[in-house]
Amino acid sequence: MTGLWVLVAVLVVATAVGLLLKARNGRVRNAKPAGRALPGPVTDVLDPASAVTLVQISTTFCAPCRHAKAVLEPLAERTDGLHHVELDVTNSPEVAQSLSVLRTPTTIALTPDGRELLRVGGVPKGPELLDALRPHLTTRTS
């Protein structure tokens, strides 16, 4: 009988953890105050002609990274002032560490001067991300 209660407890805890992770996936979070300079590979991909550059931190074998790219690339193509770039950190984990990235994909919205506006852990939800970025750019609908 004790084994049954242990099994039930494990299932309840696993379900709660799964629901928590699902709720946090793709959530837009405001940026924390910048404490250090951006690493070189990130500053190299910033687009000075765009109001916001979405830097997607990915790794080679990350399946959700492909989904994130499928959301972000069309969003950037149809939105004025928005640029998307994917940065693979498989062979340069120090870049992810310096940005405090703990999971891939993580998308960081940066201004041309490198100021972080917001970040999204997991696959972003396009409409929510666009709503959060709206004050920083001009959009056109298509």
Side-chain angles (χ1 to χ4, degrees), residues 73-97:
E73 216 166 56
L75 184 67
E77 287 173 0
R78 70 174 184 266
T79 306
D80 287 332
L82 188 61
H83 179 71
H84 168 255
V85 64
E86 186 176 10
L87 188 62
D88 187 334
V89 296
T90 302
N91 296 318
S92 52
E94 66 279 355
V95 172
Q97 183 180 10

Side-chain angles (χ1 to χ4, degrees), residues 43-125:
T43 56
D44 292 345
V45 297
L46 291 178
D47 183 7
S50 297
V52 177
T53 299
L54 296 175
V55 179
Q56 177 188 333
I57 307 298
S58 301
T59 53
T60 303
F61 300 106
C62 168
C65 294
R66 290 187 283 281
H67 296 290
K69 184 176 181 179
V71 170
L72 296 172
E73 216 166 56
L75 184 67
E77 287 173 0
R78 70 174 184 266
T79 306
D80 287 332
L82 188 61
H83 179 71
H84 168 255
V85 64
E86 186 176 10
L87 188 62
D88 187 334
V89 296
T90 302
N91 296 318
S92 52
E94 66 279 355
V95 172
Q97 183 180 10
S98 69
L99 293 170
S100 300
V101 170
L102 300 177
R103 67 183 284 197
T104 58
T106 293
T107 304
I108 305 172
L110 299 165
T111 61
D113 62 356
R115 185 174 50 91
E116 184 176 329
L117 301 171
L118 56 89
R119 66 174 53 202
V120 179
V123 179
K125 297 169 181 82

